[in-house]
Amino acid sequence: MPWERHMMPNAKVKLLIVDDEVSLRASLSQIFTTFGHSVRSAEDGFSALGQIRNEMPDVLLSDLNMQGMSGFELLSVVRRRFPAIQVIAMSGAFSGNTVPPGIAADAFYEKGSSPGTLLAIMRDMGNMERSSVQHPDTLAPIWIPKNGHDPTGEEYVMVTCPECLRTFPQVLGKAFLPIRETSCVHCFSLVHYAIVQPADAPSTQVLQRRPVAGVRAASDSPSLNFCR
């Protein structure tokens, strides 16, 4: 395939792919298995954390928008608890190759672009020094969606503590704050979090939204359309 030229020989890695689309997980798994990598997959953030506890991957490739525990939240937990894992965030809601601000990832892959781009990211990450990849002392906020209103009419979210991994409800209040903080009701750890509006980007400072998903050619291989 034309995109195979992007993949130079490099060390084989243990890869964990996280996406709620079965077909995409299967396509990506097939590609990386073809190049000799050890590949596992998970359908959401909670499943991914279970897989990580069983065996630590070298690289985590995760979608950002998923049901249950989103990729925003998953990557924040991974940065905090498993800083040795290299992380690639992916989404079809952004254009460009820059990591969205506030996202705890080392690289970004735009869904719908060539598979060769993703293979090149893997190649480049394999050549990076660990000290230049992760910054575990810099804690990214947990990105979570609103859950609706409680019985009193207050807006609330369900927060997953990055320390104990247990969830609890948090009323938002009226004030608009880009980054919020609260204490875990279970372990009392300080948790920083931000709200992701439906289909919104965490920030518009760096990346621009794609006006219509799927407008660009999906890839050099017509059978692999990674755009959601």
Side-chain angles (χ1 to χ4, degrees), residues 4-38:
E4 289 182 352
R5 65 179 180 273
H6 292 279
M7 187 62 178
M8 301 298 292
N10 66 307
K12 307 310 178 186
V13 302
K14 292 183 291 185
L15 173 66
L16 177 59
I17 299 170
V18 189
D19 197 287
D20 54 5
E21 292 186 23
V22 176
S23 59
L24 179 57
R25 294 201 307 271
S27 297
L28 291 175
S29 296
Q30 182 179 9
I31 289 173
F32 286 107
T33 300
T34 298
F35 286 97
H37 299 294
S38 174

Side-chain angles (χ1 to χ4, degrees), residues 84-107:
I85 298 176
Q86 294 177 312
V87 175
I88 304 171
M90 62 178 173
S91 175
F94 307 102
S95 61
N97 56 8
T98 304
V99 178
I103 304 303
D106 305 305

Side-chain angles (χ1 to χ4, degrees), residues 149-166:
H149 296 78
D150 66 14
T152 67
E154 296 282 352
E155 282 192 306
Y156 77 99
V157 294
M158 292 300 296
V159 179
T160 299
C161 174
E163 289 294 332
C164 69
L165 303 184
R166 288 178 287 185

Side-chain angles (χ1 to χ4, degrees), residues 14-113:
K14 292 183 291 185
L15 173 66
L16 177 59
I17 299 170
V18 189
D19 197 287
D20 54 5
E21 292 186 23
V22 176
S23 59
L24 179 57
R25 294 201 307 271
S27 297
L28 291 175
S29 296
Q30 182 179 9
I31 289 173
F32 286 107
T33 300
T34 298
F35 286 97
H37 299 294
S38 174
V39 182
R40 294 178 294 153
S41 64
E43 63 184 7
D44 58 28
F46 291 114
S47 299
L49 289 175
Q51 296 250 19
I52 291 172
R53 291 190 193 98
N54 291 332
E55 182 181 5
M56 186 95 74
D58 300 312
V59 177
L60 174 69
L61 171 62
S62 177
D63 187 22
L64 293 178
N65 297 298
M66 297 180 291
Q67 297 296 319
M69 179 186 284
S70 71
F72 298 101
E73 191 171 3
L74 170 64
L75 301 190
S76 295
V77 173
V78 169
R79 170 62 57 86
R80 182 73 172 259
R81 296 181 65 87
F82 310 102
I85 298 176
Q86 294 177 312
V87 175
I88 304 171
M90 62 178 173
S91 175
F94 307 102
S95 61
N97 56 8
T98 304
V99 178
I103 304 303
D106 305 305
F108 176 77
Y109 169 68
E110 177 189 348
K111 283 186 174 181
S113 57

